[in-house]
Amino acid sequence: QVQLQESGPGLVKPSQTLSLTCTVSGGSISGGSFYWTWIRQPAGKGLEWIGRIYPSGSTIYNPSLKSRVTISVDTSKNQFYLKLSSVTAADTAVYYCARVHSGSYAMFEPWGPGTLVTVSS
Amino acid sequence: QSVLTQPPSASGTPGQRVTISCSGSSSNIGSHAVNWYQRLPGTAPKLLIFRNDQRPSGVPDRISGSKSGTSASLAISGLQSEDEADYYCAAWDDSLNGHVVFGGGTKLTVL
C-alpha cells in the first residue's frame, strides 16, 4: 500500500524559497500511470492545487503560482519535490503531497499527512 | 473566490439525508469528472467519491455522488456524528492550459 510523507522546514523567512520533499513508500514512484501532486491549505481556507509531475519530469502548474513554483522528481530516491520562491505570509499553509490517478487528474489518493509551513521573519 | 461554488455550510440531525452542491462551468464540471474529498479535523483530506459517482473501497454506500451538466452533488444519508467534517469538490479545468480547481469547501455539522 502506497504511503506518502512530506518533509522540510516548518519555518521560512519572507522572500526566501520554500522547499519540501515528498517520500513515496510501499511502491515505485515510476510504477503505473500515476502523476504526483502538491496541494496546500492555508488555515481557515480551502484547498489549493499547486501542480503535478509525471515520473518523466513533465509538469503542469497552477497558473496563479506558475511563476514561483518548481516541482521535480528523483525516481532513484522515490521522491518528488516542491520549491516555491519569493514566499510571503500568504504562503503559510499546510502542504500536502498526493498521488494522482491518470485519466482523472483531480483524483488524489492517497495523501500524505501534510506539513505546516509558516512564513515569518 | 473558488472556481467551483459550494455552500459554506450544511447541517442535519442524525439519520437525516443531506446534500452538498458543487457548481462549475463548461470548462470544468461540464467536461470532466468530479471528485469529492472529506477532511476530518486535524487529518489529511480523504477521497470520498471519484469520477462523479464511484466510491473507493471502504466508503459506505450511504454516501453517493452525482453530476448533471455543470453541477455535481454529494449526498449523505443516514447521517452520523462521524460525518461531521469539511467536504470539497474538485475537477480538472481546461482553461489556462489546464489545471485542477477546487470548491471552497462545505462544513457539515451534525446537530
Side-chain angles (χ1 to χ4, degrees):
Chain A
Q1 168 181 346
V2 170
Q3 293 183 310
L4 292 83
Q5 179 68 55
E6 306 87 352
S7 59
L11 182 64
V12 181
K13 288 181 167 53
S15 80
Q16 292 191 341
T17 296
L18 178 161
S19 296
L20 294 176
T21 297
C22 183
T23 300
V24 179
S25 60
S28 170
I29 201 169
S30 302
S33 300
F34 297 111
Y35 294 78
W36 304 89
T37 194
W38 288 97
I39 294 162
R40 69 180 184 179
Q41 184 166 30
K45 296 188 178 182
L47 297 166
E48 180 178 32
W49 182 74
I50 298 172
R52 75 170 194 221
I53 190 165
Y54 196 65
S56 64
S58 172
T59 55
I60 294 181
Y61 300 129
N62 185 326
S64 67
L65 298 170
K66 186 176 182 178
S67 63
R68 299 194 291 130
V69 173
T70 302
I71 297 176
S72 58
V73 64
D74 186 333
T75 55
S76 68
K77 294 183 177 179
N78 235 29
Q79 294 177 329
F80 63 105
Y81 312 97
L82 170 67
K83 289 189 184 299
L84 181 65
S85 64
S86 305
V87 297
T88 69
D91 295 308
T92 295
V94 176
Y95 285 76
Y96 298 99
C97 58
R99 184 178 66 175
V100 187
H101 289 248
S102 65
S104 188
Y105 298 130
M107 180 180 169
F108 310 124
E109 190 279 332
W111 296 58
T115 187
L116 175 63
V117 178
T118 301
V119 178
S120 175
S121 55
Chain B
Q1 190 79 5
S2 301
V3 173
L4 304 181
T5 301
Q6 296 181 236
S9 63
S11 63
T13 56
Q16 271 191 329
R17 181 177 187 270
V18 297
T19 60
I20 297 172
S21 62
C22 176
S23 177
S25 67
S26 58
S27 65
N28 43 65
I29 294 178
S31 303
H32 298 282
V34 176
N35 305 275
W36 289 90
Y37 298 89
Q38 177 193 54
R39 196 180 73 82
L40 295 166
T43 68
K46 165 192 165 185
L47 181 66
L48 200 63
I49 293 287
F50 66 97
R51 292 176 187 153
N52 304 322
D53 57 9
Q54 303 298 301
R55 281 185 303 275
S57 61
V59 174
D61 60 6
R62 62 187 183 83
I63 294 174
S64 61
S66 64
K67 184 183 107 168
S68 178
T70 58
S71 294
S73 290
L74 175 72
I76 304 175
S77 59
L79 199 61
Q80 301 177 4
S81 58
E82 67 198 49
D83 298 324
E84 187 160 294
D86 295 324
Y87 294 84
Y88 296 90
C89 56
W92 184 257
D93 191 300
D94 290 327
S95 67
L96 300 172
N97 294 319
H99 59 291
V100 173
V101 291
F102 281 100
T106 299
K107 181 173 180 57
L108 175 61
T109 301
V110 181
L111 302 169

